[in-house]
Amino acid sequence: MNATSTGALLLCRADPETVRPLAHLLREQMLLTRAGGEWSVLVPEGKPWRGTGPGGGDPEPVDRVLGGWATALAVGSTWPVLALWWDGDRAGYTLAAGFRRTVGYIWLADGTPVGEDEAMRTFAARLGLDPVLDLQALEELTRPDPEADAEARLRGLLAVLTRTGLTLPPGLGPGESADRLRSVAGAQRGAERIEWAGWRDAVRVELDAVEAGSLGPWVRGPRARAIAAAQLAAGLPLLLLGARRRSGGWAAAGAVLLAQGALGLAYHRAREAAERS
């Protein structure tokens, strides 16, 4: 590796349709494409690690930038995010999953491991890898090997992940420059550009994703409207019953049902108005 081969990938264990809404919230220009049956990959279009860090100081290291992105994606999802990065001096990964502490590992450019063995065990457990065969292959990456540089270490890590369905397109892997990664990702069938278009559009994208998912019929549509109407119909008598009997419990239940029903109908009307605008 050399100083010009700095690159980074964000691997998400979810399909592109699921990843897209949260990727918008990173407020970064990226390319999103499929990376196997259960995985997607995000490729940064820019090179934020070359810009100045907070306060106008030195540029932030690529691992810190990628770690922040992975954490931001993971805390808002139910699927893990794996950040891979490399530069002229080091290479490594950061795995983020929910609100749990991130785990990572680093190799020097010549392949010398400088991480903790426990990180690989945690990595395997959080991704549901085989605790014997897969873990053994991962632990091999933490042992000295004069024939394996940092790029080879990352390729070894990816080889283990192929057993989970991860398949990166040719040319989209460790050691490639950021420009090359962007070019390869953009040429993939179905690749799409993710870019920040303001909070209003970001919220709209998120709502579209929810409505298109398994909860969609319960959020919007005939079924959702019927539920909202039923909540209103049930809530008013309960509220009146609670007031007549001076029962705070019945009154609260009625108020909650009325509020939920009203919000359901209001949401439906707001979404229809937004689509017409």
Side-chain angles (χ1 to χ4, degrees):
M1 293 187 190
N2 54 58
T4 64
S5 65
T6 302
L9 298 171
L10 282 169
L11 305 177
C12 306
R13 200 170 187 179
D15 57 52
E17 291 74 21
T18 303
V19 173
R20 185 191 305 115
L22 286 176
H24 276 279
L25 300 180
L26 291 179
R27 304 177 69 173
E28 296 285 344
Q29 291 186 339
M30 296 191 177
L31 289 166
L32 172 64
T33 189
R34 189 173 293 276
E38 298 181 14
W39 291 82
S40 302
V41 57
L42 284 163
V43 180
E45 285 203 273
K47 303 170 186 175
W49 46 85
R50 288 188 177 180
T52 56
D58 294 333
E60 285 194 86
V62 62
D63 58 323
R64 187 177 303 170
V65 174
L66 266 290
W69 287 346
T71 300
L73 287 171
V75 296
S77 67
T78 58
W79 29 268
V81 182
L82 176 63
L84 298 182
W85 54 269
W86 53 92
D87 59 23
D89 301 317
R90 306 174 304 156
Y93 73 79
T94 300
L95 176 66
F99 287 93
R100 289 180 288 186
R101 181 178 62 86
T102 60
V103 60
Y105 202 91
I106 295 175
W107 296 271
L108 300 183
D110 64 1
T112 301
V114 293
E116 298 180 1
D117 292 349
E118 182 61 32
M120 286 300 189
R121 289 189 283 272
T122 304
F123 177 88
R126 291 187 182 175
L127 289 178
L129 302 178
D130 187 287
V132 179
L133 297 178
D134 290 341
L135 183 56
Q136 182 178 358
L138 291 173
E139 289 179 336
E140 286 291 330
L141 302 175
T142 68
R143 300 185 179 118
D145 183 351
E147 302 298 322
D149 60 9
E151 181 181 334
R153 301 289 196 172
L154 285 182
R155 287 200 304 267
L157 184 81
L158 291 171
V160 175
L161 292 180
T162 59
R163 300 169 194 170
T164 69
L166 175 67
T167 305
L168 283 173
L172 206 63
E176 300 289 353
S177 69
D179 292 334
R180 168 68 174 163
L181 294 174
R182 183 175 64 249
S183 175
V184 171
Q188 299 306 307
R189 182 178 179 180
E192 57 183 300
R193 178 169 281 104
I194 302 295
E195 55 186 341
W196 178 250
W199 283 109
R200 181 176 179 179
D201 286 343
V203 171
R204 181 176 294 181
V205 169
E206 179 70 27
L207 292 175
D208 287 341
V210 172
E211 292 176 4
S214 59
L215 294 178
W218 304 99
V219 174
R220 186 181 177 195
R223 187 180 299 175
R225 287 197 301 271
I227 291 174
Q231 288 172 327
L232 287 173
L236 183 58
L238 284 177
L239 184 62
L240 294 175
L241 177 64
R244 186 167 57 251
R245 295 185 176 181
R246 296 182 180 179
S247 170
W250 286 113
V256 168
L257 286 172
L258 282 174
Q260 289 178 333
L263 285 174
L265 293 178
Y267 173 83
H268 190 276
R269 291 172 183 170
R271 289 290 279 160
E272 286 186 335
E275 290 179 352
R276 289 196 297 266
S277 62

